[in-house]
Amino acid sequence: MLSRTERTSALQWLGKQLFNREDPAAFFDPLLERINPMWVQQYTPARVERIEDETADTKTFVLKPAKRWDGFKAGQHVNICIDIDGVRRNRTFSLSSAPAQWHSNGMVTLTIKRLPGGLVTNWMHDNLKPGATIGLGEAFGDFLIPEAGEPLLYIAGGSGITPVLSQLETLAAANYEAPVTLLYFVRTQADIIAAQKLYELRQNWDTLTLNIIATNESETPRFLKDVDLDEVSGIEQRRCYLCGPKGLMDLATALLTQRGISEERMHSTFFAAPKAALDTDALGGEVRFSTSDIRVSSEGDAPLLDIAEAAKLSPRYGCRMGICHQCSCKKTSGTVVNRLTGKSSGPGEENIQLCVSVPQGPVTVEL
Amino acid sequence: MKQMNEAQLNELEKDLNAIRDEVLADLGERDANYIRRVVRLHRALEVGGRVMMPFGFIPPVFVAATAMLGVSKIIENMEIGHNVMHGQYDWMNDPSLHSQTYEWDTVCTGDSWRLTHNYEHHTYTNIIGKDRDYGYALLRLSDDEKWRPAHSLQFINYILLSVFFQWGVGLHELEFERIRRGEISLKEKLPFLKGFFRKGGRQAFKDYVFFPLITFPVAPIVLAGNIGANLIRNLWSSTVIFCGHFTQDAETFTEEECEGESKGHWYLRQLTGSSNFSGNRFVHLLSGHLSYQMEHHVFPDLPAHRYPEISEKVQAVCKKHGIHYNTGSFARQYGTVLKRILSYSLPDRLREKWTALPQSA
């Protein structure tokens, strides 16, 4: 008997012969979509079941992915795709529900805040209705809960609470016994996302300490302070999870490092296009797009994706912040700096993410 | 080519850019819906044709199935494949409609087409010696090329090229004429040949082995229907493409006159080297809107279904600059193509005598 993988590769070979494409099943999508949008093969469709208001500018979208979706671990994110005015837009959001919920009723939630000027988030708030289908990718990311029963500290800001919600719910359901503290920074009390859920968790789960801090309710902004950390008992032994705006994360990282907490015990995930400090003097150079034979010069102030688009090329892209790898592309020569990590690549042929790679000297990209 | 000074060419460039910018600013859901609808039509026709074909032992079903499969291939090649690979729908960010990854249902590989067609033909349109699409290195279609006795039989070559059009297009990148002249070696073309045999083999396997085989008792019928469908597609696409640049009034150019040309000059060359034909909506769809060849050559990456609506603006620009807008009925335009193929098969003296004869209207 053929194993499953052998059978699929034989089928894939045949599919390629018959339909000339890497995803032969998706050949039928245009027809399937009409019969039942949940049968689409090109991406995993997810039906919008409900939309709930969290705060004035945040909503939770309850989705039911098609059965073949592989599921996720608490703290992971997904790419979603939505057609807006004819253009397919890919964005990355973290799942705010616990995997247990998906196992029990097949539902997952995305909790999404309107971004000022944000095309996709605003469109979702204004136009997405229950009954519609959106595309869902497989979950990814290594912002995961620990295996051992270690004491934990979460520092979250604004909509950075979403992957934390998924983790807290999962830990509570497992009756996690070690102490867990959440420091949650919000602008005002009205901006607390999933307030009810957080209060319920505190009530039913003894080891959770909840500290919600409003930053903008006094005359001077009230940011994360060292005293906030003093209140966390046994902080040196805690595994720390950070998620929120870059300012908060930088501050938290600095304060925690001062207390001798090692990098290995700090986990972070971010959802704003990061602008890592770059030594711009060393950046920039001639970029050659070899497939289209276009040469442009780079000042080192823009990632390759922007440079390619300015040169009228249309590379595939997704999140534009280095997460989804839709824009991965082969670099054949030269060095690039990864904006996220600040690290330089090797000089040879390798796959790079266009959206976070800034040229460091002359670069050739297969595009 | 019509002579225009630099200022006039700049004005022409400005006028055409204005049309282009207007369309680009307006791209959106309407265009996405259009191409998705065409893709749906293609899928429905292909699935329908393939399902009906085994019942082809009933003659009317055979005719219908063959026609459906043939039309589905025409739509896929012309309105979807050709236009998608020009990047007309790249802005949609849909991986299945992306120019760099699309692979169409014909022998020519997408990569080969992007090189020989999108790049070479669209850049050097009708420049004799540089645009290898002009006569496909098989036919003499202008007096830029000297007559040789072999040309007298070129009408037979033309028929053969039309019948086996997809294989001809697939082999175009081989540059057989240059290999024969010893300018390049066959060895240099090995990577291309590898891709050609892989894709050609795949196409032949599908239509001539796989589908007949899985319908074994009626294999000969399915085989015949599939051959018929490919033939319909070959004849039609060859005919449409010949009408694009080889009509009576489509001009040719020399390398010298195009050296270091401006964008305005390039626009003028695209307009005067191309020709349209008129027809109803269905004809435009089946020709991939290459019935608007002039608009296509001026704006190869604008969604083709926009050509009819911008045609009037292009005509106005042509009128303003005194450029002949080369169009006519399909029959008339194709008639002039056949006449060109035949007349240039004659030695110059005979051809001049023939064309000097009074022509019937």
Side-chain angles (χ1 to χ4, degrees), chain A residues 149-154 178-181 209 227-240 256 259-261 265:
Chain A
E150 297 170 87
L152 307 176
L153 168 64
Y154 286 94
V180 177
T181 301
T209 312
V227 293
D228 297 326
L229 300 179
D230 287 338
E231 289 167 18
V232 181
S233 61
I235 187 165
E236 289 77 13
Q237 276 71 50
R238 300 228 180 186
R239 193 170 274 281
C240 306
L256 291 169
R259 287 171 184 261
I261 294 169
R265 294 180 64 78

Side-chain angles (χ1 to χ4, degrees), chain B residues 40-304:
Chain B
R40 209 153 50 232
L41 173 66
H42 160 249
R43 301 293 196 270
L45 284 169
E46 170 150 12
V47 170
R50 299 261 185 222
V51 168
M52 277 162 68
M53 199 67 86
F55 303 95
F57 49 84
I58 310 161
V61 175
F62 180 80
V63 173
T66 307
M68 268 169 91
L69 193 55
V71 170
S72 102
K73 280 172 182 277
I74 285 171
I75 291 176
E76 197 276 342
N77 287 179
M78 308 293 278
E79 186 72 335
I80 305 172
H82 169 261
N83 291 335
V84 164
M85 285 197 289
H86 265 294
Q88 294 180 0
Y89 300 96
D90 277 4
W91 55 272
M92 285 172 64
N93 195 34
D94 178 343
S96 63
L97 294 172
H98 198 271
S99 63
Q100 301 309 307
T101 50
Y102 194 85
E103 193 57 69
W104 55 348
D105 181 15
T106 182
V107 167
C108 184
T109 65
D111 285 336
S112 182
W113 182 257
R114 285 181 271 267
L115 176 76
T116 60
H117 178 85
N118 290 10
Y119 168 55
E120 291 178 0
H121 168 61
H122 274 269
T123 312
Y124 304 114
T125 313
N126 283 28
I127 300 178
I128 304 301
K130 286 198 106 173
D131 178 7
R132 296 183 53 259
D133 277 21
Y134 202 82
Y136 292 93
L138 265 176
L139 310 175
R140 172 183 184 250
L141 298 172
S142 76
D143 47 18
D144 302 284
E145 196 182 341
K146 248 186 84 158
W147 183 83
R148 283 180 287 113
H151 288 135
S152 56
L153 294 175
Q154 72 172 356
F155 200 78
I156 296 170
N157 283 344
Y158 164 65
I159 300 290
L160 287 172
L161 176 62
S162 286
V163 169
F164 297 103
F165 195 60
Q166 65 163 337
W167 296 92
V169 171
L171 275 171
H172 194 44
E173 196 188 327
L174 182 62
E175 302 185 279
F176 183 69
E177 73 284 2
R178 292 183 61 202
I179 294 175
R180 200 182 48 201
R181 291 198 296 265
E183 290 169 24
I184 45 171
S185 70
L186 192 63
K187 214 174 147 197
E188 288 170 56
K189 290 293 179 179
L190 280 180
F192 159 73
L193 281 172
K194 214 175 127 193
F196 166 79
F197 282 119
R198 179 177 296 165
K199 180 82 192 285
R202 190 181 286 163
Q203 292 297 111
F205 168 79
K206 166 170 71 172
D207 282 338
Y208 307 142
V209 179
F210 179 81
F211 282 111
L213 220 55
I214 58 163
T215 52
F216 179 66
V218 289
I221 289 168
V222 173
L223 179 65
N226 291 357
I227 291 174
N230 279 318
L231 182 63
I232 292 171
R233 183 269 318 269
N234 285 355
L235 293 176
W236 171 251
S237 46
S238 155
T239 306
V240 165
I241 285 156
F242 269 63
C243 285
H245 301 286
F246 312 149
T247 58
Q248 183 178 301
D249 296 336
E251 297 181 33
T252 59
F253 317 99
T254 62
E255 286 184 49
E256 295 77 50
E257 68 182 315
C258 304
E259 223 165 274
E261 71 181 351
S262 63
K263 185 71 190 279
H265 191 268
W266 181 86
Y267 271 139
L268 174 63
R269 183 156 57 79
Q270 301 303 332
L271 286 170
T272 50
S274 310
S275 50
N276 292 3
F277 57 81
S278 53
N280 59 30
R281 258 181 71 195
F282 200 55
V283 169
H284 296 313
L285 170 70
L286 291 184
S287 66
H289 286 88
L290 294 186
S291 44
Y292 289 94
Q293 188 77 249
M294 297 171 74
E295 283 76 4
H296 174 58
H297 262 267
V298 171
F299 309 119
D301 59 351
L302 292 186

Side-chain angles (χ1 to χ4, degrees), chain A residues 258-304:
Chain A
Q258 270 172 30
R259 287 171 184 261
I261 294 169
S262 68
E263 209 177 298
E264 182 265 321
R265 294 180 64 78
M266 278 189 259
H267 306 267
S268 57
T269 188
F270 33 23
F271 278 98
K275 290 181 186 70
L278 291 170
D279 183 10
T280 39
D281 292 340
L283 295 175
E286 190 191 59
V287 182
R288 191 168 96 82
F289 297 109
S290 56
T291 313
S292 43
D293 200 23
I294 292 174
R295 285 164 197 272
V296 284
S297 67
S298 152
E299 302 295 317
D301 53 353
L304 282 165

Side-chain angles (χ1 to χ4, degrees), chain A residues 104-168:
Chain A
S104 73
N105 67 3
M107 311 264 199
V108 299
T109 65
L110 297 175
T111 300
I112 296 171
K113 183 180 165 174
R114 277 181 197 270
L115 291 172
L119 184 84
V120 173
T121 56
N122 282 293
W123 188 91
M124 288 178 79
H125 274 252
D126 297 333
N127 298 294
L128 199 57
K129 296 278 174 310
T133 24
I134 65 172
L136 206 62
E138 291 305 336
F140 62 98
D142 48 12
F143 191 73
L144 303 172
I145 50 181
E147 282 165 29
E150 297 170 87
L152 307 176
L153 168 64
Y154 286 94
I155 301 176
S159 56
I161 192 72
T162 55
V164 177
L165 284 171
S166 171
Q167 296 202 344
L168 291 180

